[in-house]
């Protein structure tokens, strides 16, 4: 059912919403965001750790000014794309501001509130202004997205068949920057020596802050993907600029207050997010330059460049990028295990990670897999195995990261090179997995399979293994105390549990997808699952002398049975012979050729 609103009706809503929202966000920190509670009902305003209100005001007003300027020069498409990207990013900000209203202390917003003691705090006018400003930005983004879609539909009939297009490589670069920014916003915003100001990562935050952090990371990625998928490079530039400003508006105040306030210190998270935001700005400049150059020089000699490289070329590029990142991931993991994770005062004991050799094993597996993924002949066959095996990095690193981050910030305790290398390894693993998944998508554009029914011995064994993956990761490996969580359901729920959840999701997904793949791809997926399960059981081997008298837990037995089923399914899948067909694009071209030669 078509909307009755004419094209252009929601543009004032988008512009007015983002402008009023920017004013409210800029004005919020000028009023008390929280006050202390006392018996008389009045309260004392609690200020930020350091006054960065001018920076917050500038970052909130700049996108509205840019959008208005674009409209004044009759660039409505880029202006709407900018506002839409801001609205998507603002959804996470709304949830974070809800936590600021519910409990200002646990919100960990040092740029807005820095508590001075254990007394309870009450939200004040500034917090409500911030929430209202972010809500208006979300509404403006929804209006802009609807208006941009209607505007694109109106112009589709008048667009020339050949003209400037958004470069295909922008998607890969944009998603890489979005991953970097998303990882940055999920980590702790700063380190603190103030006992009343406790920084929290998204995984250790209250419910609303955790949901807001995840929504913020997903919103950044969604804004970048939508911007890079726009065929018009001007619209893509607007969306990328909006995503860049949205990221910088979130992380730059945190970075500034951590650098300027005495009890706070800068951590790697906001730095990575800032680099991701700046990378999006550079990508927008490159896309705009390419679009303008193609508009001027894109005659017959430039048509191939405007069309972009074929899917096979993009598949090779993504595969090589994923292989290189996987080798770097393995190297960073090994280096993290062999270097000091913390810098301690002279009177403190030196810690030793129980999973150090498990990290070395994970890195030792990823380096040769990454090298094997690069060659032209072997690479496409090894790529699925590497894409699955990369999940061992967060699975293995979750336990030591939880322990290290739990003591970081105490007196005499600071992050060492091992900790930062481990965080870098997790980020590189995510970027490598994303590049390899994109490579697989481009490969499927060239060749596809006839739909096969989900039946037969391979499907049965794979489905049974997927079912066993639930207790394999959710139940503990050992019965008894003295160990960190070795199962998702084993308390306390922390970084180790999140790493196990990632391992479970990738393992179960690979087992369910494998029966529908070509034989080589299915065997590679099973091989990656074997790597994950073997390293899962390796947690028992690295501390065999610490096994409790109660013996192995249900998770260990389920992991062993799951591994056995995967080893049975792999040789059966290798003997399958699916029928290969051309992709839909190639098939339609072949059909047209048959019609042309038909008498």
């Amino acid at each position: 059912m078509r909307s009755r609103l004419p094209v252009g009706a929601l543009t004032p809503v988008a512009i007015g919403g983002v402008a009023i929202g920017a004013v409210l966000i800029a004005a919020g920190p000028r009023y008390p965001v929280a006050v202390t509670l006392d018996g008389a009902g009045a309260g004392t305003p609690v200020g930020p750790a350091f006054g960065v209100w001018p920076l917050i005001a500038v970052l909130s007003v700049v996108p509205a000014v840019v959008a208005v300027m674009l409209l004044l020069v009759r660039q409505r498409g880029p202006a709407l794309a900018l506002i839409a990207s801001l609205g998507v990013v603002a959804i996470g900000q709304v949830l974070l501001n809800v936590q600021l209203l519910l409990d200002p202390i646990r919100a960990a917003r040092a740029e807005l509130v820095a508590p001075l003691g254990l007394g309870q705090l009450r939200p004040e006018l500034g917090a409500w202004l911030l929430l209202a400003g972010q809500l208006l930005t979300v509404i403006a983004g929804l209006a802009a997205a609807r208006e941009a879609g209607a505007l694109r539909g109106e112009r589709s009939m008048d667009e020339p068949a050949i003209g400037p297009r958004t470069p295909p490589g922008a998607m890969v670069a944009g998603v890489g920057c979005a991953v970097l920014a998303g990882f940055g916003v999920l980590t702790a915003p700063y380190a603190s020596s103030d006992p009343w100001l406790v920084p929290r990562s998204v995984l250790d935050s209250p419910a609303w802050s955790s949901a807001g952090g995840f929504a913020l990371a997903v919103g950044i990625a969604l804004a970048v993907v939508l911007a890079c998928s726009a065929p018009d490079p001007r619209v893509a530039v607007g969306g990328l600029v909006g995503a860049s400003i949205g990221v910088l508006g979130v992380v730059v105040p945190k970075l500034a207050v951590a650098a300027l306030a005495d009890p706070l210190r800068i951590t790697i998270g906001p730095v990575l997010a800032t680099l991701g935001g700046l990378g999006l700005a550079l990508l927008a400049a490159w896309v705009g330059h390419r679009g303008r150059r193609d508009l001027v020089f894109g005659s017959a000699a430039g048509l191939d460049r405007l069309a972009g490289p074929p899917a096979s070329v993009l598949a090779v590029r993504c595969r090589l990028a994923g292989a290189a990142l996987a080798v770097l991931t393995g190297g960073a993991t090994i280096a993290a295990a062999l270097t000091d994770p913390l810098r301690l005062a002279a009177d403190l004991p030196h810690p030793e990670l129980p999973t150090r050799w498990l990290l070395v094993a994970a890195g030792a597996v990823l380096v040769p897999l990454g090298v094997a993924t690069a060659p032209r002949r072997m690479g496409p066959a090894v790529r699925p195995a590497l894409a699955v095996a990369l999940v061992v990095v967060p699975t293995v690193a979750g336990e030591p990261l939880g322990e290290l981050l739990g003591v970081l910030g105490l007196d005499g305790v600071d992050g060492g090179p091992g900790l930062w290398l481990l965080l870098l390894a997790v980020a590189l693993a995510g970027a490598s997995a994303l590049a390899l998944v994109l490579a697989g998508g481009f490969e499927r554009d060239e060749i596809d399979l006839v739909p096969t029914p989900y039946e037969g011995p391979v499907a049965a064994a794979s489905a049974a293994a997927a079912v066993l993956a639930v207790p394999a990761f959710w139940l503990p490996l050992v019965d008894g105390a003295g160990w960190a969580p070795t199962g998702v359901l084993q308390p306390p729920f922390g970084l180790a549990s999140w790493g196990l959840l990632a391992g479970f999701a990738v393992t179960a997904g690979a087992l369910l997808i494998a029966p529908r793949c070509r034989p080589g791809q299915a065997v590679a997926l099973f091989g990656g699952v074997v790597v994950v399960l073997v390293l899962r059981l390796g947690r028992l081997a690295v501390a065999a002398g610490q096994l409790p008298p109660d013996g192995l837990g249900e998770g260990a037995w389920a992991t062993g049975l799951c591994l056995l089923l995967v080893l049975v399914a792999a040789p059966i899948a290798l003997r399958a012979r699916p029928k290969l067909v051309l992709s839909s694009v190639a098939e339609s071209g072949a059909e047209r050729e048959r019609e042309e030669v038909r008498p």
Side-chain angles (χ1 to χ4, degrees), residues 29 51 75 92 156 206 233 254 301-302 316 320 362-363 432 471 487 499 514 570:
Q75 296 292 326
S156 60
K254 300 181 184 297
V316 173
L320 292 177
S432 176

Side-chain angles (χ1 to χ4, degrees), residues 151-194:
L151 183 63
R152 180 177 176 182
E154 183 187 56
R155 293 180 175 177
S156 60
M157 300 301 295
D158 300 328
E159 288 181 351
I162 297 173
R165 293 291 185 269
T166 302
M171 179 66 76
V172 178
V175 171
C177 293
V179 170
L180 197 65
F183 176 78
V185 300
L186 292 177
T187 59
Y190 43 78
S192 174
S193 58
D194 187 349

Side-chain angles (χ1 to χ4, degrees), residues 295-326:
L295 181 62
V296 176
F297 301 104
S299 56
L303 297 183
D304 292 338
R305 185 177 67 250
L306 292 176
S312 58
V313 176
L314 293 175
V316 173
R317 292 177 181 176
C318 291
R319 177 169 54 80
L320 292 177
L325 290 172

Side-chain angles (χ1 to χ4, degrees), residues 49-66:
F50 194 89
V52 293
W53 171 78
L55 180 62
I56 297 175
V58 170
L59 291 172
S60 61
V61 172
V62 163
V65 173
V66 173

Side-chain angles (χ1 to χ4, degrees), residues 447-450 518 578-582:
I447 190 169
D448 205 347
L449 297 175
V450 175
R518 287 166 284 168
K579 179 183 177 183
L580 297 179
V581 298
L582 294 175

Side-chain angles (χ1 to χ4, degrees), residues 62-146:
V62 163
V65 173
V66 173
V68 172
M69 291 177 61
L70 288 173
L71 281 180
L72 292 177
V73 296
R74 298 184 178 181
Q75 296 292 326
R76 185 165 57 158
L80 293 174
L82 186 150
I83 298 173
S85 295
L86 285 175
V88 173
V89 176
I91 295 175
Q93 288 281 69
V94 169
L95 299 177
L96 293 175
N97 287 332
V98 170
Q99 180 62 51
L100 188 64
L101 293 174
L102 296 177
D103 191 348
I105 296 179
R106 300 186 66 193
R109 304 285 294 274
E111 71 276 15
L112 299 174
V113 178
L116 302 176
L118 289 176
Q120 294 184 350
L121 300 182
R122 179 185 67 199
E124 267 298 321
L125 178 60
W128 292 102
L129 290 177
L130 290 170
L131 180 61
Q134 297 294 350
L135 283 174
L136 284 176
T137 305
V138 172
I139 295 173
L142 294 175
R146 190 269 176 198

Side-chain angles (χ1 to χ4, degrees), residues 343-348 409-414:
R343 289 185 297 179
L344 303 174
D347 56 341
L348 294 178
L410 298 178
D411 292 337
V413 180
D414 200 358

